[in-house]
């Protein structure tokens, strides 16, 4: 009887070992199938291949505390974790069966990783790490490349791990120059694209460069991570970041107060306004919205803020900019009507139609973009260039803004370029018309000079300083950065000065008319 029991136990042990071997052999065969899929272009979708590998690793039985499998382009690791988990550090330099030709990488998991899962039901957990040494399975429409073509992923059982107070650290070492590139840590956001099974997103990740050969990603969730490299032809010198930020904050704050004061003064006047005044007030409102959203854009770009909030603010900021540019163009169009058509400028429901264009067209463009490609908005990384080239402690700066280069080129630079060009043409037309008026002596010289000064003052109203954005190259870069920041952050304040000048001028004209009327009555 004892011999039979021993034989039975040996049979059970052999069967279990055979089952465990078969389980991880099945995972290895699936990895080789994925490798062949990159060569033969199989019809099976990438998400099915990756989900199939995850499922096999989570169900695989193995002896000991961990399991490591690898092919030429995929490496997988599985770990048995308990609720007494104290943290885990993985480094490719210490892992077995890692090719020396591959670049070094590492992942560090905090002790908080299993806390939420063990709080509901204490049990043994399975942590799987999947490293892809190719970007073939994560293709999308973003015009960018991945650092080393590496994608490092991790998953804790079937749990959704996010909003960790202590981040997961993912390190990518490299031996290439990143000069001229914007480097951004991203994760694969499944279901965020209609053309592909996911899209790269920076939500919940912070990018650091501790050294010229290392990119460190600090993320508060588990997923597939990579470093996105996008061409950045105009980096901002890191030493100028502090003064430019200070100028922007002070200038925008002054403009907010000035625009708000202008609108309040207009409302307090309690008199029927003409179409010109209505256009001015709408421009002030768009500038006020633009400055307020810009001041909030850097605060909501912090990793602790949900990505959806940053996306919404980025869309509002884009809308405010488009509205501001549109109202500048409307100012130019109205000036053209005043100069060319003079008295014959009656248009039925003129102000209502202008408001439909000034506020409606930007809203239509932004809503259309949100419906077609919402990933175009989010955390935008401002490229910094380190003149000392040591890279130590250099961190990327982010704001909530347009992330798509194509959208930025068309709906920011293109839209602004057309607006600036139109208003510059109108301004040149106005100066030419007043010059002819003075040459023919149809009005006193002082009046012509005053009109010339008025039109020169309209250069602010028409937003011609925004054309400085197209001089951010070569020797013009540093002067352009400061001039653009100073003039456009104080744009609301300049409009306030114009409003005050116009108000004083109108009051002086009324007073002169009253004096002329009184003198005529006494004669």
């Amino acid at each position: 009887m004892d011999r039979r029991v021993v034989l039975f136990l040996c049979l059970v042990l052999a069967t279990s070992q055979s089952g465990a071997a078969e389980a991880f052999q099945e995972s290895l065969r699936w990895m080789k199938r994925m490798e062949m899929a990159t060569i033969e272009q199989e019809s099976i979708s990438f998400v099915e291949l990756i989900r199939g590998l995850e499922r096999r690793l989570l169900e695989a039985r193995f002896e000991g505390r961990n399991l490591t499998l690898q092919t030429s382009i995929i490496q997988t690791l599985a770990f048995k974790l308990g609720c007494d988990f104290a943290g885990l550090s993985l480094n490719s330099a210490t892992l077995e069966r890692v090719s020396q030709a591959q670049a070094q990488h590492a992942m560090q998991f905090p002790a908080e990783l299993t806390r939420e899962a063990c709080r509901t039901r204490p049990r043994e957990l399975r942590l799987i790490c999947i490293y892809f040494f190719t970007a073939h399975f994560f293709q999308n429409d973003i015009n960018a490349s991945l650092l080393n073509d590496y994608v490092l992923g991790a998953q804790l059982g079937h749990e959704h791990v996010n909003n960790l107070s202590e981040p997961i650290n993912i390190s990518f070492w490299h031996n290439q120059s990143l000069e001229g590139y914007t480097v951004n840590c991203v994760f694969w956001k499944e279901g965020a694209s209609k053309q592909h099974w996911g899209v790269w997103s920076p939500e919940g990740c912070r990018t650091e460069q501790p050294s010229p050969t290392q990119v460190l990603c600090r993320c508060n969730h588990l997923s597939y991570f990579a470093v996105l490299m996008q061409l950045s032809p105009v980096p901002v010198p890191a030493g100028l970041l502090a003064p430019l930020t200070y100028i922007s904050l002070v200038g925008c704050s002054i403009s907010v107060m000035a625009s708000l004061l202008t609108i309040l003064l207009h409302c307090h006047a309690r008199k029927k306004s003409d179409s010109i005044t209505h256009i001015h007030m709408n421009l002030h409102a768009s500038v006020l919205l633009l400055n307020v959203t810009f001041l909030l854009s850097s605060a909501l770009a912090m990793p602790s803020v949900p990505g959806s909030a940053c996306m919404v603010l980025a869309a509002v900021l884009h809308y405010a900019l488009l509205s501001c540019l549109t109202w500048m163009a409307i100012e130019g169009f109205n000036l053209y009507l005043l100069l060319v058509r003079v008295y014959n400028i009656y248009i039925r429901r003129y102000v209502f139609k202008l408001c439909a264009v000034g506020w409606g067209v930007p809203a239509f463009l932004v809503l259309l973009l949100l419906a077609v490609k919402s990933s175009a908005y989010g955390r935008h990384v401002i490229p910094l260039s380190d003149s000392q080239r040591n890279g130590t402690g250099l961190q990327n700066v982010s704001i909530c803004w347009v992330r798509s280069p194509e959208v930025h080129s068309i709906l920011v630079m293109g839209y602004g370029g057309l607006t600036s060009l139109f208003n510059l043409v109108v301004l040149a037309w106005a100066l030419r018309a007043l010059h002819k008026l003075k040459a023919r002596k149809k009005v006193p010289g002082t009046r012509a000079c005053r009109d010339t000064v008025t039109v020169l003052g309209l250069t602010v109203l028409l937003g011609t300083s925004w054309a400085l954005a197209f001089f951010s190259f070569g020797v013009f870069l540093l002067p352009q950065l400061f001039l653009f920041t100073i003039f456009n952050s104080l744009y609301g304040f300049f409009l306030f000065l114009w409003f005050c000048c116009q108000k004083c001028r109108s009051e002086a004209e009324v007073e002169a008319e009253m004096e002329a009327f009184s003198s005529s009555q006494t004669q």
Side-chain angles (χ1 to χ4, degrees), residues 337-376:
L337 291 182
L338 291 174
L339 290 174
V340 177
R341 301 182 63 177
V342 190
Y343 298 108
N344 186 26
I345 58 173
Y346 175 76
I347 300 176
R348 185 172 179 270
R349 306 186 72 180
Y350 181 53
V351 175
F352 175 80
K353 293 177 180 178
L354 293 180
C355 289
V357 174
W359 300 109
V361 171
F364 171 77
L365 293 175
V366 172
L367 291 175
L368 179 64
L369 186 58
L370 283 172
V372 175
K373 189 178 181 181
S374 61
S375 60

Side-chain angles (χ1 to χ4, degrees), residues 186-327:
V186 292
F187 82 100
W188 187 253
K189 189 173 183 180
E190 186 176 350
S193 173
K194 295 182 179 179
Q195 290 78 23
H196 305 280
W197 71 283
V199 68
W200 291 114
S201 171
E203 298 174 15
C205 292
R206 187 171 75 251
T207 307
E208 298 180 8
Q209 293 180 256
S211 70
T213 59
Q214 181 188 4
V215 178
L216 175 61
C217 302
R218 299 182 182 272
C219 302
N220 63 4
H221 57 278
L222 288 180
S223 182
Y224 290 97
F225 304 99
V227 176
L228 202 65
M229 299 169 53
Q230 293 178 292
L231 284 174
S232 176
V234 189
V236 178
L240 299 181
L241 179 64
L244 289 174
T245 303
Y246 179 77
I247 293 172
S248 298
L249 291 177
V250 174
C252 290
S253 300
I254 294 175
S255 291
V256 166
M257 298 301 298
S259 297
L260 188 60
L261 181 60
T262 304
I263 296 174
L264 292 176
L265 288 174
H266 170 69
C267 295
H268 182 69
R270 293 183 180 179
K271 65 177 181 178
K272 187 177 181 180
S273 303
D274 55 8
S275 60
I276 298 177
T277 306
H278 279 297
I279 294 173
H280 292 347
M281 291 304 107
N282 279 280
L283 178 59
H284 274 287
S286 65
V287 173
L288 176 62
L289 179 62
L290 177 62
N291 284 298
V292 170
T293 50
F294 178 77
L295 290 174
L296 295 174
S297 62
S298 58
L300 291 188
M302 301 297 292
S304 57
V305 179
S308 57
C310 187
M311 182 190 72
V312 171
L313 182 65
V316 175
L317 178 58
H318 189 206
Y319 169 72
L321 177 62
L322 294 181
S323 298
C324 187
L325 292 172
T326 306
W327 280 107

Side-chain angles (χ1 to χ4, degrees), residues 134-173:
T134 175
H136 183 81
F137 300 100
F138 301 88
Q139 298 177 356
N140 58 19
D141 297 326
I142 296 179
N143 185 21
S145 59
L146 299 185
L147 182 64
N148 298 330
D149 278 341
Y150 278 12
V151 179
L152 309 184
Q155 179 179 341
L156 183 66
H158 298 284
E159 305 290 331
H160 295 283
V161 179
N162 49 33
N163 297 324
L164 296 173
S165 58
E166 185 177 351
I168 299 166
N169 296 326
I170 308 104
S171 296
F172 297 83
W173 282 271

Side-chain angles (χ1 to χ4, degrees), residues 472-523:
S472 56
F473 58 88
V475 295
F476 300 103
L477 175 60
L478 295 183
Q480 181 268 348
L481 284 174
F482 280 95
L483 291 176
F484 184 86
T485 303
I486 292 171
F487 282 120
N488 294 318
S489 64
L490 290 171
Y491 182 65
F493 177 69
F494 293 147
L495 287 179
F496 171 73
L497 295 180
W498 168 254
F499 174 80
C500 293
C501 291
Q502 290 296 98
K503 188 175 180 62
C504 293
R505 178 178 173 179
S506 62
E507 290 178 354
E509 290 178 351
V510 171
E511 184 177 351
E513 291 178 358
M514 292 297 296
E515 290 179 356
F517 177 76
S518 299
S519 62
S520 64
Q521 292 294 322
T522 56
Q523 291 179 355

